[in-house]
Amino acid sequence: MASRPTISDLARAAGVSVATVDRVLNGRHKVREETARRVYEAANAIGYHAIGLIRQRVFEDLPQYRLGFSLQRPSQAFYQNFAREIEIACNACTTARIVPQVDFISAQTPAAMTEMLRQLSARNQALAVVAPDYPATTAMVEELKERGLPLFCLLSDFAMDVRQGYIGLNNMKVGRTAAWMIARGAKRPGKVAIFVGSHRFHGHELREIGFRSFFREKGQDFEVLDTLVNLDTSEITHEATANLLAQHPDLVGLYVAGGGMEGAISAIREEGYAGRIQLIVNELTPESKAGLADDVVTMAINTPLPALCRELVSLMVTAIEKGGNAVPGQTFLPFGILLPENI
């Protein structure tokens, strides 16, 4: 097992003396801000064990803000990655000291959503949330707005007339891109299907709209089946995919617009349809990467989580310091296209 970096390793990486690193760590003598930041950046880069102490020393004069984040489904690799990138972005912020609170919520009921917002708002100065769109949720966001607490919607918009801002992908373009790949990749015209997690997820709805609009305009030879709801679960997706394959021998494409893609991947693999169905999923996870590698998945559309989290933290800090008018209402990030040849 490799030993953890030493103070000498940190000094070498930062291009300073061990004595300078010691002064940064112990705060006994003033170190130039530029030098201290260089030590901090080097500590981040090499994984130095005392990074928290160095950050405290370097940024002790900066304002401190508490930011609350609520993500979905803690068991899913995508949301675990999301949580890690939020922590990294908060630690990397150089304009303020950020104290993040990252929570997960499994239930998607209005009561669960409003209670989550109530609890997060009690401890934090700005919120960022992945959530479905319910009237009760909108009412809670209105209450937070009256209290001067900014709320940002992540991945899927909601409470659009009262929330502070949305940050994520342009979901109409995501849906059209999935349809384009199916239309170009299918060996013949046929039936195509789409899963959404819930019609309450505005992002899923927009992806479905984009998906269908492409086939109306440019893929009239294809038949888009009725939309299926999988509640973002792999179990439901697996069973429904197996049924689709059995009931529609002319099925040529399937797009999982939200979560639960693991079920579609396993069903297509087990039924022997790898390479025969154009399967489009979202996000690169161990399951989707394996699916791309063995020709089960045709394409994965990926959210750039590091860039999203950096931009999100910056927007939240700006909203706290300068007010809501200082941040845009929508922030779209470019999405990645992952194919078997570039994973």
Side-chain angles (χ1 to χ4, degrees), residues 1-294:
M1 182 181 295
S3 60
R4 66 182 185 179
T6 66
I7 190 170
S8 297
D9 297 325
L10 176 55
R12 191 177 308 110
V16 299
S17 68
V18 171
T20 298
V21 174
D22 181 70
R23 288 200 299 273
V24 173
L25 281 167
N26 295 294
R28 284 193 290 263
H29 301 285
K30 190 69 175 175
V31 177
R32 284 197 315 163
E33 180 181 351
E34 178 186 349
T35 302
R37 285 178 182 263
R38 193 158 75 244
V39 171
Y40 171 71
E41 290 167 1
N44 248 335
I46 69 173
Y48 189 66
H49 64 278
I51 182 65
L53 176 60
I54 295 174
R55 177 174 176 78
Q56 181 180 339
R57 300 296 192 203
V58 174
F59 301 113
E60 60 186 354
D61 294 332
L62 295 178
Q64 177 176 293
Y65 301 125
R66 297 191 64 92
L67 305 182
F69 305 85
S70 178
L71 306 178
Q72 300 280 316
R73 302 191 183 279
S75 62
Q76 291 185 354
F78 171 73
Y79 283 112
Q80 289 294 331
N81 292 338
F82 205 160
R84 282 192 291 270
E85 292 298 338
I86 287 172
E87 296 278 357
I88 291 170
C90 290
N91 287 332
C93 180
T94 59
T95 60
R97 288 180 294 136
I98 306 299
V99 181
Q101 178 186 351
V102 183
D103 291 343
F104 295 90
I105 184 168
S106 297
Q108 296 176 358
T109 63
M113 291 292 145
T114 53
E115 181 59 23
M116 171 271 296
L117 291 173
R118 185 173 291 108
Q119 291 184 10
L120 269 186
S121 64
R123 299 184 56 193
N124 297 285
Q125 295 161 273
L127 308 183
V129 177
V130 182
D133 191 16
Y134 290 111
T137 316
T138 299
M140 187 64 193
V141 176
E142 286 179 331
E143 181 182 322
L144 299 180
K145 185 176 183 179
E146 291 174 1
R147 289 163 45 190
L149 193 75
L151 181 141
F152 291 84
C153 301
L154 305 177
L155 307 180
S156 181
D157 214 345
F158 67 95
M160 287 170 282
D161 51 341
V162 290
R163 52 84 172 140
Q164 185 65 68
Y166 163 79
I167 180 166
L169 306 182
N170 183 324
N171 287 302
M172 282 279 287
K173 287 186 176 181
V174 170
R176 290 185 65 89
T177 301
W180 182 90
M181 177 55 76
I182 290 175
R184 293 299 184 275
K187 296 179 176 61
R188 66 187 187 284
K191 294 175 181 176
V192 297
I194 178 173
F195 284 106
V196 298
S198 165
H199 291 297
R200 286 290 183 177
F201 273 112
H202 189 249
H204 295 188
E205 288 282 277
L206 287 177
R207 290 176 183 181
E208 180 194 358
I209 291 169
F211 187 80
R212 290 182 176 279
S213 70
F214 177 89
F215 282 110
R216 279 198 305 270
E217 297 168 20
K218 300 182 178 181
Q220 295 92 339
D221 292 337
F222 293 83
E223 179 186 350
V224 183
L225 300 173
D226 289 341
T227 299
L228 298 165
V229 177
N230 67 356
L231 303 180
D232 285 333
T233 62
S234 59
E235 296 82 6
I236 294 175
T237 311
H238 180 105
E239 182 178 355
T241 300
N243 289 338
L244 281 172
L245 296 173
Q247 295 171 10
H248 303 285
D250 55 345
L251 186 76
V252 296
L254 176 61
Y255 174 40
V256 184
M261 64 174 169
E262 301 86 356
I265 293 170
S266 61
I268 289 174
R269 182 181 284 120
E270 291 171 12
E271 298 295 329
Y273 278 81
R276 298 164 57 187
I277 298 289
Q278 303 295 303
L279 174 60
I280 314 300
V281 301
N282 293 297
E283 312 309 341
L284 186 65
T285 68
E287 291 81 6
S288 62
K289 188 174 183 178
L292 286 164
D294 60 14

